[in-house]
Amino acid sequence: MAGSGTNRRILSELTRLQGLSTNSDVKFLLDKSPADDPSSSLILGRILPKSNIYNQAAFQIEIKLLPEYPFKAPELRFITPIYHPNVDDKGKICVDILNANDGFKPTTPLTDVVKAVTNLIDNPNIDHALSPEIAAEYTQNKSTFERKALDMVKKHGLPRQ
């Protein structure tokens, strides 16, 4: 990791992320961070969506802080498999706030990133789907989509505590 200013920023971000477990409309449970292992640049935590089906489990995400952070957006992916039009089979997610041109600035807090990801899970954006097949199913055959999503939640979902 970079200098002490960056380390202070990361520690501040971790404190804010921990606050999402109790003091927020969007819930995030911090599982592992650079505070646990200073040689690591990974943050692991679980989002707790509110929407039907996804509200039955938690989903672990990995936030990778690049050496250029906070001047470059972190990389984010789902560790827990999830059946969703905006998440591909490798766990990648396309969320506007992580785009340098559209949303990410050096002042963007990681809490905003987590909130944007959770919001996208709760409110799929079909226009920016990473899985066209799942997006088509979501719009054209919602009952099949919901059955497949629920099967995946039951099979892979994590505890919400």
Side-chain angles (χ1 to χ4, degrees):
M1 270 199 222
S4 63
T6 301
N7 289 336
R8 276 195 303 275
R9 165 72 186 268
I10 292 169
L11 290 174
S12 172
E13 292 290 344
L14 292 174
T15 300
R16 285 188 227 157
L17 286 172
Q18 287 173 323
L20 291 180
S21 68
T22 56
N23 303 328
S24 175
D25 191 38
V26 171
K27 299 292 184 207
F28 178 77
L29 305 175
L30 187 63
D31 293 329
K32 186 177 178 188
S33 76
D36 303 317
D37 178 3
S39 67
S40 174
S41 62
L42 298 179
I43 298 170
L44 293 175
R46 290 170 281 158
I47 62 166
L48 284 68
K50 291 182 177 182
S51 61
N52 192 24
I53 297 175
Y54 299 115
N55 66 0
Q56 298 181 36
F59 302 87
Q60 191 173 57
I61 61 172
E62 174 189 88
I63 303 169
K64 182 178 182 181
L65 302 177
L66 303 173
E68 302 85 3
Y69 178 81
F71 301 102
K72 188 171 182 185
E75 294 176 354
L76 192 141
R77 70 182 181 104
F78 274 80
I79 302 297
T80 307
I82 185 169
Y83 192 79
H84 193 280
N86 298 112
V87 182
D88 73 13
D89 59 352
K90 293 178 179 64
K92 294 217 181 261
I93 184 168
C94 183
V95 61
D96 290 341
I97 199 168
L98 292 179
N99 291 332
N101 299 335
D102 296 334
F104 193 82
K105 309 268 184 285
T107 56
T108 302
L110 291 177
T111 52
D112 285 2
V113 172
V114 169
K115 288 175 183 179
V117 169
T118 305
N119 185 53
L120 187 61
I121 295 303
D122 284 338
N123 305 289
N125 183 345
I126 300 306
D127 294 334
H128 292 98
L130 290 179
S131 174
E133 301 82 18
I134 297 175
E137 191 174 78
Y138 180 85
T139 57
Q140 298 166 11
N141 193 348
K142 195 127 183 209
S143 63
T144 298
F145 166 81
E146 289 176 347
R147 180 181 49 76
K148 289 179 180 179
L150 183 57
D151 287 348
M152 190 83 99
V153 167
K154 287 179 177 177
K155 185 175 182 180
H156 299 287
L158 301 173
R160 291 179 66 94
Q161 56 213 7

